[in-house]
Amino acid sequence: MIRLFISKALQPSNISAIHYKITPLLCSSLCGFSPQAAIQSQQNPSSINERRSLFDSYAYGALLLRCIQKDDPISAMGLHSQIVKRGNCLDLFATNILLNMYVKADLLSEAEILFDEMPERNTISFVTLIQGYVQCLQFVEALGLFAMLHREGHELNPFVFTSILKMLVSMECPELGWNIHACIYKLGHESNAFVGTALIDAYSVCGCVDYAKEVFDGIRFKDLVTWTGMLACYAENGLFEEALEVFNQMRLVGFKPNNFTFAGVFKACIGLEAFDVAKGIHGCVLKTRYEHDIYVGVGLLEFYTKCGNFGSAQQVFEEMPKKDVIPWSFMISRFAQSDQSEEAVYLFCRMRQAFVVPNQFTFASAIQACSTMGDLDLGKQMHGLLLKVGLGLDVFVSNALMDVYAKCGRIEDSVELFERSINRNDVSWNTMIVGYVHCGDAEKALGFFLEMLENRVLATEVTYSSVLRASASLVALELGAQIHSLTVKTNYAKNNVVYNALIDMYAKCGRIGDARLVFDLVNERDVVSWNAMISGYSMHGLAKEALEIFQMMQDQGYVPNSLTFVGVLSACSNSGLLSQGQAYFTSMFKDYGIEPCIEHYSCMVWLLGRSGHLYKAVKLIEEIPYEPSVMVWRALLGACVIHNNVELGRLSARRILEMEPQDDATHVLLSNMYATASRWDDVTAIRQSMKKKGMKKEPGLSWIENQGRVHYFSVGDTFHPDMKVMNGILEWLNMRTRKAGFVPNYSAVLLDVENEEKERLLWVHSERLALAFALFRTPSGSQIRIIKNLRICVDCHAAMKVISKIVQRDIIIRDMNRFHHFHDGICSCGDYW
């Protein structure tokens, strides 16, 4: 009645073994039902009467009942054989018991034969076989038998209606209960407790709580099951306060709760987050000795894990009987979902040692734990075990395996599993899309998304958030905007996960204004929403706006987390707000108890170093309570390059290369620093060292999206089909910028060549080529967005300011660190980057 768990799949009984043992008995049994036996009976009526007088139908009925209670179908079939040999003189009552035995033993074909051969049948006979059909999920046959029962004029009693209503719930067609309810009302059974409880359950599944309440109120003599059914109806439909009110009323009228009642009450307490009330209910459970019941036990596990008290949950679990797979699966799942993956794997190993057979949900949770830990070897062992137990093609397990392979960098194995999967669902597609995004292959992720739509698989919030993330990584604004339109059409645009992904996508594609518009539309913001907006403003160098959002977040009662402060400190470091950045860094631990992580230290090192306080930055690094990462030393090296502190730069570079000897960016930065200081011998030495190690400088690339296509440009590119037009535009821009007073900054070219050659090289930088393309390929007056893989050089930055004023167009350039908005000769960074 109370659907606390997904119904267990019907396990096939050992029918072949039963058939082997009783085939001789069945042969003789079936003879007793044959036409020949009937003819013989007509010819010898006296012998039949004699056998009937000696035949004790009641005694055989009692023996058959005992076999059912002991779950012993073999002995029951032996009795059936004896009955047939003695003339098959069972009365209707005993025959129904025999029919019930075959149904409960999952021997449905034998039950059908017995039913068809019965000389007399009543309502119980029909209902017993109907229950057998429902048990074997043969709903059409069950409905046909119900129609026959009605057609033959048998009594439609409460037993019939209860069975039919339960069948409709099992068929997932509870809405048909309306028709049955009308029949129940006509026959005057609506006040019967058994029928009423079944109706309440059917209406509960439909979500028709008001109708369920009407039925409940109409029941004259409510029993414990009725009260529990109404409580469960409220709990499962989110009316948690009403559920607790029913519980109180039930106790006031003198009913003591049972295991199902307690399970429903725990669900209501969890829904209301009334954890103190739930602890009181736990006390009632202990008094009534229900703590060892599996339904109550799982309710307790749900309660304690929901409120984060895993210690108490573990204690409850240890005191529970552990023969059933459900409590094991539940705890493994909760550990895996709460980033306690090692505990999940340990519990799975204990489960195997306890000889409890895991099901597909157990395996899926255990594999999820492997995925979180990034433990490929353990994931492969799980995969092997799955193949042994025959669950390799289960969709839940297959999805979990795809996830673990993708997160461990084996995306090709995920693809193979995906292609072999028979029953793919939306989770299967989402797993592959998320996997490709995680591996940094956004184009393939978007390809899977298009294929998913072509296969008419409905996208979910996970799908949309993932493909928006892929669009953001490609800075594909047009595609991101199209996906935004899809979310509006499919009513996912107001989902918080999708909202947050949209804010992030628009911010990373250079449309910070659109990001703010989406942010303002969010009705119920979470911490992720605030973090996305703060990080977006930080990325665009809009520190004032970022800090205003942070203040608004605090004013509205949201508690910042570690990522919030990464965004805040990044905003300060991008704008040179030294005193404010230091104040926030101190406040983070003092006011919120957040221990600084490596990202916070990196922001502070960059803030101090970029502001010229290089040795304060070194002192902060020395105060880090653990080994500084490459990220920290790179921040210091970048500051040293800007301030041309060669000695400190060499120290930073040495520490980076100790951790990552093949880091080409460090070699390049060190070489640039030497070049700026005109130490050409050191530049040559570094370049020779790179050549010896087989390392190459990452080439400068810029790209621009136009009409759904992405156009790439490298330094000095001459292969683009529009190169002649682009060269003409660059010459025109060179002439116009000189007239406007622009003077090239030759120090940006770190080569020992003449100034004339340096100027030529500056005008073929990749971002200038992309700009020239955009000026004649995009509509006049429209915004130009260029993405660059390296930091924009000082000369290009100065040139872009002048060009934005000359052409009267907004130019947005995203380099490896941040966005630069050029408008009417001014950059949003304030020349601080």
Side-chain angles (χ1 to χ4, degrees):
M1 181 184 62
I2 300 177
R3 294 166 304 284
L4 293 176
F5 309 105
I6 295 173
S7 301
K8 293 183 182 177
L10 294 172
Q11 296 180 354
S13 58
N14 197 356
I15 294 175
S16 58
I18 295 173
H19 274 284
Y20 177 78
K21 292 182 180 179
I22 55 119
T23 299
L25 300 177
L26 274 180
C27 292
S28 59
S29 301
L30 295 175
C31 291
F33 296 131
S34 65
Q36 290 81 359
I39 294 168
Q40 289 176 6
S41 299
Q42 289 174 359
Q43 292 172 352
N44 300 288
S46 60
S47 62
I48 290 172
N49 291 333
E50 183 181 348
R51 276 179 287 179
R52 280 179 179 168
S53 63
L54 296 172
F55 193 90
D56 189 347
S57 184
Y58 177 80
Y60 275 111
L63 288 170
L64 287 167
L65 268 176
R66 192 176 300 169
C67 291
I68 292 172
Q69 290 165 357
K70 291 183 176 180
D71 193 21
D72 186 6
I74 303 295
S75 299
M77 297 177 84
L79 281 172
H80 188 185
S81 177
Q82 290 181 29
I83 290 164
V84 171
K85 286 178 181 177
R86 296 192 61 183
N88 195 31
C89 300
L90 284 180
D91 61 14
L92 180 57
F93 176 78
T95 307
N96 283 338
I97 295 173
L98 182 60
L99 182 65
N100 189 33
M101 181 278 297
Y102 281 121
V103 166
K104 290 195 171 177
D106 284 340
L107 299 171
L108 195 59
S109 56
E110 284 79 0
E112 288 175 324
I113 294 169
L114 177 60
F115 180 83
D116 291 338
E117 297 289 344
M118 286 173 70
E120 182 185 0
R121 294 186 290 246
N122 63 3
T123 300
I124 294 173
S125 314
F126 278 90
V127 173
T128 302
L129 190 56
I130 285 171
Q131 289 176 342
Y133 281 132
V134 173
Q135 187 175 298
C136 295
L137 307 181
Q138 297 183 26
F139 300 120
V140 175
E141 291 82 353
L143 286 170
L145 206 57
F146 173 65
M148 185 192 294
L149 179 153
H150 190 45
R151 192 169 55 247
E152 292 185 4
H154 293 281
E155 180 190 7
L156 294 175
N157 60 21
F159 186 38
V160 175
F161 288 119
T162 304
S163 300
I164 293 301
L165 286 166
K166 287 180 179 178
M167 180 187 72
L168 294 177
V169 172
S170 299
M171 289 172 65
E172 297 183 358
C173 298
E175 62 278 1
L176 296 177
W178 288 91
N179 302 322
I180 304 298
H181 192 178
C183 189
I184 290 167
Y185 188 81
K186 286 179 182 177
L187 295 174
H189 292 304
E190 72 276 5
S191 62
N192 181 281
F194 296 105
V195 176
T197 305
L199 272 170
I200 290 168
D201 193 39
Y203 282 129
S204 174
V205 175
C206 294
C208 301
V209 181
D210 291 338
Y211 292 114
K213 183 65 167 61
E214 283 183 25
V215 172
F216 177 77
D217 291 339
I219 298 171
R220 290 178 189 169
F221 303 105
K222 301 177 181 70
D223 59 12
L224 176 60
V225 179
T226 308
W227 284 98
T228 301
M230 195 63 231
L231 190 155
C233 174
Y234 279 133
E236 292 184 14
N237 285 281
L239 300 170
F240 304 121
E241 290 183 7
E242 289 83 349
L244 292 181
E245 181 60 30
V246 168
F247 178 66
N248 290 333
Q249 290 175 7
M250 171 185 135
R251 296 188 73 191
L252 287 172
V253 296
F255 285 103
K256 292 183 178 180
N258 64 11
N259 51 344
F260 298 110
T261 318
F262 282 126
V265 173
F266 279 124
K267 187 178 183 73
C269 291
I270 292 165
L272 290 171
E273 295 186 356
F275 299 135
D276 290 337
V277 176
K279 287 178 182 178
I281 301 298
H282 190 181
C284 293
V285 167
L286 294 172
K287 287 179 183 178
T288 51
R289 308 295 297 167
Y290 276 115
E291 69 271 18
H292 292 149
D293 178 85
I294 186 168
Y295 295 100
V296 177
V298 172
L300 281 165
L301 294 177
E302 174 77 23
F303 153 55
Y304 281 117
T305 54
K306 201 78 174 179
C307 67
N309 190 348
F310 276 85
S312 296
Q314 188 78 39
Q315 187 176 344
V316 170
F317 174 77
E318 297 300 340
E319 293 172 359
M320 283 176 68
K322 298 181 187 62
K323 293 181 181 178
D324 199 291
V325 69
I326 291 173
W328 290 96
S329 289
F330 184 90
M331 283 302 290
I332 291 168
S333 170
R334 286 295 182 268
F335 276 132
Q337 292 166 4
S338 304
D339 290 331
Q340 299 184 58
S341 302
E342 291 181 4
E343 288 83 351
V345 171
Y346 170 71
L347 206 58
F348 180 80
C349 295
R350 273 186 60 193
M351 180 184 181
R352 298 285 294 153
Q353 290 165 358
F355 300 105
V356 178
V357 180
N359 60 20
Q360 65 269 41
F361 305 111
T362 322
F363 274 114
S365 297
I367 294 167
Q368 181 188 349
C370 299
S371 176
T372 303
M373 293 190 295
D375 194 330
L376 179 61
D377 290 335
L378 189 56
K380 289 166 78 174
Q381 289 177 42
M382 290 278 188
H383 193 175
L385 183 59
L386 280 165
L387 295 174
K388 286 182 181 177
V389 298
L391 286 173
L393 294 177
D394 179 86
V395 66
F396 297 103
V397 172
S398 181
N399 291 342
L401 281 170
M402 280 188 261
D403 184 56
V404 75
Y405 282 125
K407 285 183 178 171
C408 292
R410 296 280 291 273
I411 192 71
E412 63 281 355
D413 292 331
S414 299
V415 174
E416 188 179 338
L417 282 167
F418 178 83
E419 289 173 349
R420 285 211 312 262
S421 182
I422 301 168
N423 303 313
R424 295 176 195 154
N425 58 12
D426 59 321
V427 179
S428 313
W429 290 92
N430 288 344
T431 303
M432 291 307 304
I433 291 168
V434 172
Y436 273 120
V437 172
H438 179 79
C439 293
D441 198 338
E443 290 183 7
K444 285 191 177 176
L446 291 167
F448 257 93
F449 174 61
L450 293 174
E451 194 178 338
M452 178 183 182
L453 296 180
E454 287 168 3
N455 281 273
R456 299 185 181 278
V457 180
L458 293 176
T460 65
E461 66 269 25
V462 175
T463 321
Y464 287 122
S465 63
S466 300
V467 293
L468 285 167
R469 186 179 160 198
S471 301
S473 68
L474 291 173
V475 200
L477 176 63
E478 291 179 24
L479 184 58
Q482 290 174 25
I483 294 167
H484 188 180
S485 300
L486 271 178
T487 66
V488 173
K489 289 179 182 177
T490 52
N491 291 324
Y492 275 107
K494 293 184 179 179
N495 180 282
N496 254 30
V497 175
V498 177
Y499 262 140
N500 297 339
L502 282 167
I503 294 167
D504 183 62
M505 184 274 293
Y506 280 121
K508 287 180 177 174
C509 289
R511 298 286 283 271
I512 192 65
D514 290 338
R516 181 58 189 265
L517 283 173
V518 174
F519 176 80
D520 289 338
L521 288 171
V522 183
N523 292 322
E524 297 180 6
R525 300 181 186 119
D526 55 18
V527 177
V528 179
S529 313
W530 295 98
N531 289 354
M533 200 64 244
I534 291 168
S535 297
Y537 276 133
S538 169
M539 195 189 308
H540 286 261
L542 302 171
K544 179 186 173 186
E545 289 82 351
L547 298 181
E548 283 176 357
I549 290 287
F550 178 60
Q551 187 59 50
M552 194 192 306
M553 175 187 184
Q554 293 172 297
D555 292 342
Q556 293 186 21
Y558 291 90
V559 180
N561 60 16
S562 180
L563 287 175
T564 315
F565 279 100
V566 171
V568 169
L569 294 174
S570 177
C572 293
S573 63
N574 282 341
S575 298
L577 303 178
L578 181 58
S579 58
Q580 287 174 272
Q582 289 175 319
Y584 285 124
F585 185 72
T586 304
S587 169
M588 183 173 66
F589 178 73
K590 184 180 176 182
D591 298 333
Y592 297 99
I594 299 171
E595 290 281 354
C597 66
I598 207 66
E599 286 81 9
H600 300 122
Y601 281 113
S602 298
C603 288
M604 287 306 297
V605 168
W606 174 247
L607 175 57
L608 288 165
R610 181 66 184 83
S611 301
H613 302 281
L614 292 171
Y615 289 96
K616 284 186 179 179
V618 173
K619 186 181 178 184
L620 180 63
I621 292 173
E622 291 171 352
E623 291 172 358
I624 296 176
Y626 41 84
E627 185 65 29
S629 71
V630 170
M631 192 186 302
V632 174
W633 290 110
R634 278 182 184 150
L636 181 61
L637 177 59
C640 290
V641 171
I642 289 170
H643 293 288
N644 201 29
N645 189 319
V646 177
E647 295 308 314
L648 200 51
R650 286 178 63 185
L651 169 68
S652 306
R654 189 173 73 245
R655 296 301 296 271
I656 294 168
L657 295 174
E658 283 173 3
M659 290 181 267
E660 293 187 10
Q662 296 297 314
D663 184 46
D664 60 326
T666 300
H667 286 86
V668 172
L669 283 174
L670 195 55
S671 171
N672 291 349
M673 193 163 52
Y674 285 140
T676 304
S678 300
R679 292 170 58 169
W680 301 112
D681 291 340
D682 290 326
V683 171
T684 304
I686 288 175
R687 289 178 179 172
Q688 287 176 348
S689 172
M690 289 178 69
K691 189 175 182 180
K692 194 179 292 183
K693 293 177 181 178
M695 295 163 59
K696 288 185 178 179
K697 176 183 181 292
E698 183 182 3
L701 287 175
S702 294
W703 58 95
I704 187 167
E705 183 186 11
N706 182 48
Q707 296 182 349
R709 287 187 61 194
V710 178
H711 298 264
Y712 293 89
F713 302 92
S714 59
V715 178
D717 194 350
T718 58
F719 298 105
H720 196 277
D722 295 321
M723 204 65 231
K724 285 185 179 179
V725 181
M726 289 159 57
N727 282 334
I729 291 173
L730 288 172
E731 286 179 16
W732 177 78
L733 287 174
N734 189 1
M735 181 183 65
R736 290 296 304 273
T737 54
R738 279 187 174 278
K739 282 184 180 179
F742 173 71
V743 178
N745 187 339
Y746 299 122
S747 65
V749 178
L750 303 175
L751 295 172
D752 191 12
V753 293
E754 296 297 325
N755 285 347
E756 188 177 337
E757 176 62 12
K758 286 184 178 182
E759 184 176 354
R760 187 192 69 79
L761 292 171
L762 286 170
W763 276 100
V764 292
H765 276 193
S766 61
E767 56 265 56
R768 299 197 199 191
L769 295 174
L771 174 65
F773 173 82
L775 284 172
F776 81 95
R777 280 292 188 182
T778 58
S780 177
S782 64
Q783 191 181 72
I784 297 171
R785 292 180 310 106
I786 299 169
I787 316 302
K788 184 174 172 61
N789 66 333
L790 302 176
R791 186 174 182 269
I792 186 171
C793 76
V794 289
D795 188 70
C796 286
H797 189 272
M800 290 295 173
K801 289 196 295 181
V802 178
I803 293 169
S804 70
K805 191 169 186 177
I806 291 170
V807 299
Q808 288 297 295
R809 292 179 67 173
D810 287 352
I811 302 169
I812 297 175
I813 296 182
R814 175 184 163 183
D815 68 8
M816 65 182 295
N817 294 325
R818 55 178 292 166
F819 278 92
H820 298 266
H821 292 247
F822 299 96
H823 171 75
D824 198 29
I826 299 170
C827 180
S828 59
C829 72
D831 297 338
Y832 186 95
W833 84 101

